Amino acid sequence: QVQLVESGGGSVQAGGSLTLSCTASGFTYGWNCMVWFRQTPGKEREGVASIYRYAGHKYYADSVRGRFAISEDNAKNTVSLQMNNLKPEDTAMYYCAAGTRCRGSALYAQDYTDWGQGTQVTVSS
């Protein structure tokens, strides 16, 4: 089992930037991809960005492509999400997940059982 801890959330004005980090511990050798999701009350968890470990393939939701960038530091078991030009609609709780049997874009919440506790991002207009 992998333990995941997110950090870096906060409150910013529209157009601002934040960098989220997700650090994995425990059984970190088995995961093949790591993914950032976000969720607002009453809505389903939405895949935002994913990265395949070692292969480096990256995928983004249409709503964030060109503004967000996902990266990994395997030596530190950390995946980061650089978020630029933030918009009020980016306001959500952001979660990371680690997958061992990732498929396609990997942006499918139902595929993951290991989740962090989340970090809140609030963007004001």
Side-chain angles (χ1 to χ4, degrees), residues 10-69:
S11 297
V12 296
Q13 291 190 327
S17 298
L18 283 173
T19 301
L20 307 183
S21 293
C22 175
T23 300
S25 61
F27 184 67
T28 60
Y29 295 98
W31 61 268
N32 184 41
C33 68
M34 189 168 281
V35 191
W36 283 99
F37 290 85
R38 64 187 181 188
Q39 189 171 25
T40 55
K43 293 189 176 181
E44 293 186 353
R45 198 162 288 190
E46 173 195 20
V48 174
S50 66
I51 186 166
Y52 275 78
R53 197 180 196 186
Y54 304 123
H57 300 307
K58 302 176 184 180
Y59 297 90
Y60 298 94
D62 290 343
S63 57
V64 306
R65 188 175 292 113
R67 300 188 297 121
F68 290 13

Side-chain angles (χ1 to χ4, degrees), residues 1-124:
Q1 187 177 4
V2 176
Q3 290 78 46
L4 303 164
V5 178
E6 302 98 335
S7 62
S11 297
V12 296
Q13 291 190 327
S17 298
L18 283 173
T19 301
L20 307 183
S21 293
C22 175
T23 300
S25 61
F27 184 67
T28 60
Y29 295 98
W31 61 268
N32 184 41
C33 68
M34 189 168 281
V35 191
W36 283 99
F37 290 85
R38 64 187 181 188
Q39 189 171 25
T40 55
K43 293 189 176 181
E44 293 186 353
R45 198 162 288 190
E46 173 195 20
V48 174
S50 66
I51 186 166
Y52 275 78
R53 197 180 196 186
Y54 304 123
H57 300 307
K58 302 176 184 180
Y59 297 90
Y60 298 94
D62 290 343
S63 57
V64 306
R65 188 175 292 113
R67 300 188 297 121
F68 290 13
I70 190 169
S71 61
E72 63 179 349
D73 184 338
N74 283 320
K76 297 181 179 180
N77 289 323
T78 298
V79 172
S80 298
L81 185 68
Q82 174 68 43
M83 305 186 297
N84 298 321
N85 190 22
L86 283 161
K87 304 176 180 181
E89 51 264 41
D90 294 319
T91 295
M93 184 72 80
Y94 283 71
Y95 300 89
C96 65
T100 58
R101 302 175 68 179
C102 311
R103 60 185 175 103
S105 68
L107 299 176
Y108 312 106
Q110 67 269 26
D111 288 357
Y112 304 95
T113 57
D114 294 325
W115 295 90
Q117 83 290 347
T119 186
Q120 178 68 38
V121 172
T122 302
V123 185
S124 58

